[in-house]
Amino acid sequence: MTEPVDQGKQDSSNVKRRSPGWIIWPLFVLGVSGVLVASLKFLHPRVPTGVDTCRRLPRVEKRDSCLFKLLREQPDLTVCEQIKDIAVREACWFQFALAQKRADVCFRIDRTIDLFVNVESFADWCVAGVALRAHDVTLCDRITGVKTRENCWLDFPAENICPRFSQEYQKNLCWEHLAEQTKDVNICDRIVRASEAEVQTLDRSRCYGQVAAALGDGTICQQMFDSLGRDICYEKFAKPQPSIERCRAIGDKTSQAECLRSVAAANKDITICDQEFSNWAGCYGSVAAVAQQPEYCSRLSKPDDLAYCYRTVGDRATDSLVC
């Protein structure tokens, strides 16, 4: 008769028999996993970043150039910090400041350049660029150079800005921009040339013309008192959208002819040359060049005019190929 087996002893013996398997199996799994991970690392190493790629280049100037170009794809200031050459690094700061509208970065730049009698600061140019992109006139006041600061103001013509200019010419230019922007011809009368009455008339005439063009109203030019002022006004009025009617309002024949030539060229209309000019090579050459129709030149009778016309067409064709 078989003796009954004690259940506790049976469980204990089973545990003893299974224990080696439970220990070996996890170790086996871990070992295989380690091999797989190592294999994956070998087959798929860490993808290098753009900075890593630049660092691997053999020469300093190539590494710096690579990092500078990388800034467009990776707008990170730390990219600039790794550039060794100070000039390239400052150019990198300049580009970063403009792209991110960060005027504070501009002040890291120390370079200056001599332009005739003026020493211009790259930092000032940088701040002016950021001011324009950020539409923030207050940044102009942080520019140290007077010339660059006032050029910055010109991008923001306003009642409280124009009187601040130190030079009369720029102050008048500011009033002209403001008049055009607001389409208010009365602002043109603020243009003053204390010592040059004739220049004052020219400046005001130009301002009137800009407002006339902005409003599409040529009658504004009739407010000018002399024929020269009216002609300048009509020229400015015609320039943005030249037409035969606008050009004919110009009294000076030379200016009127130039205006009509621009109309003919803009519309590639050789008949305007036929109707307005008897034999002017300037008009035929301009239209023939723009339309790339050299046969238009054959309408001219003088050999010199023919040569000029064909040369104009050839020059335009060459420029197109170069571009």
Side-chain angles (χ1 to χ4, degrees):
M1 184 175 179
T2 306
E3 294 183 4
V5 179
D6 189 305
Q7 189 65 35
K9 290 180 179 180
Q10 186 177 11
D11 292 343
S12 176
S13 63
N14 288 338
V15 169
K16 288 177 183 178
R17 284 196 299 271
R18 287 197 297 267
S19 293
W22 286 105
I23 293 172
I24 294 171
W25 176 250
L27 291 175
F28 174 76
V29 171
L30 288 172
V32 171
S33 300
V35 172
L36 287 173
V37 169
S39 300
L40 288 171
K41 285 185 177 180
F42 176 76
L43 293 173
H44 301 284
R46 181 177 66 88
V47 178
T49 64
V51 173
D52 293 332
T53 302
C54 294
R55 282 175 176 169
R56 292 175 184 175
L57 293 174
R59 295 202 303 271
V60 172
E61 58 269 22
K62 286 192 173 183
R63 291 196 291 271
D64 285 353
S65 177
C66 177
L67 289 165
F68 183 78
K69 292 175 182 176
L70 178 65
L71 187 70
R72 297 178 182 177
E73 304 171 9
Q74 189 177 324
D76 187 341
L77 200 56
T78 58
V79 172
C80 299
E81 307 301 336
Q82 298 181 59
I83 295 175
K84 300 299 182 184
D85 186 275
I86 183 61
V88 180
R89 191 188 315 147
E90 290 189 345
C92 188
W93 287 335
F94 196 114
Q95 182 171 297
F96 178 87
L98 292 182
Q100 303 300 315
K101 301 175 185 177
R102 290 271 305 275
D104 60 299
V105 177
C106 296
F107 296 108
R108 301 186 181 196
I109 302 170
D110 292 326
R111 289 185 73 201
T112 58
I113 185 172
D114 291 332
L115 294 177
F116 302 104
V117 295
N118 298 307
V119 177
E120 297 290 340
S121 163
F122 279 83
D124 283 351
W125 289 351
C126 179
V127 175
V130 174
L132 183 60
R133 292 195 176 201
H135 305 289
D136 186 356
V137 67
T138 63
L139 291 176
C140 299
D141 294 328
R142 300 177 66 182
I143 295 172
T144 56
V146 175
K147 184 177 180 181
T148 308
R149 181 169 63 245
E150 294 192 356
N151 283 336
C152 183
W153 286 342
L154 274 178
D155 292 317
F156 306 94
E159 292 279 356
N160 63 330
I161 294 294
C162 295
R164 299 174 66 182
F165 286 89
S166 59
Q167 298 296 320
E168 195 175 61
Y169 169 75
Q170 285 192 304
K171 186 183 296 185
N172 289 339
L173 201 57
C174 182
W175 289 126
E176 181 181 323
H177 290 173
L178 182 61
E180 181 183 9
Q181 188 180 87
T182 59
K183 300 179 182 179
D184 184 357
V185 74
N186 294 317
I187 293 176
C188 296
D189 295 330
R190 300 185 191 180
I191 293 175
V192 175
R193 282 295 183 110
S195 59
E196 301 174 275
E198 184 179 349
V199 177
Q200 174 178 300
T201 300
L202 298 180
D203 288 348
R204 287 187 179 181
S205 301
R206 188 175 61 243
C207 181
Y208 272 67
Q210 300 282 38
V211 177
L215 292 171
D217 182 7
T219 61
I220 288 174
C221 296
Q222 296 171 11
Q223 298 180 38
M224 303 308 299
F225 296 110
D226 59 80
S227 59
L228 178 59
R230 284 193 295 274
D231 280 350
I232 292 173
C233 182
Y234 281 125
E235 283 182 51
K236 287 293 179 182
F237 170 62
K239 192 172 182 179
Q241 296 180 325
S243 66
I244 293 175
E245 293 72 23
R246 290 187 177 190
C247 293
R248 283 179 176 161
I250 301 171
D252 180 73
K253 295 303 179 184
T254 302
S255 299
Q256 185 187 94
E258 286 294 337
C259 183
L260 289 167
R261 181 170 69 91
S262 67
V263 174
N267 293 281
K268 299 179 183 179
D269 187 353
I270 199 67
T271 61
I272 294 176
C273 300
D274 293 333
Q275 294 167 5
E276 301 294 332
F277 310 104
S278 57
N279 199 16
W280 184 31
C283 185
Y284 287 95
S286 294
V287 178
V290 172
Q292 281 298 292
Q293 299 289 338
E295 61 271 19
Y296 289 162
C297 297
S298 62
R299 303 189 184 202
L300 296 166
S301 57
K302 296 179 180 179
D304 288 347
D305 290 342
L306 277 167
Y308 172 83
C309 185
Y310 284 124
R311 187 168 60 250
T312 304
V313 175
D315 290 345
R316 178 62 181 256
T318 303
D319 290 343
S320 298
L321 289 174
V322 171
C323 294

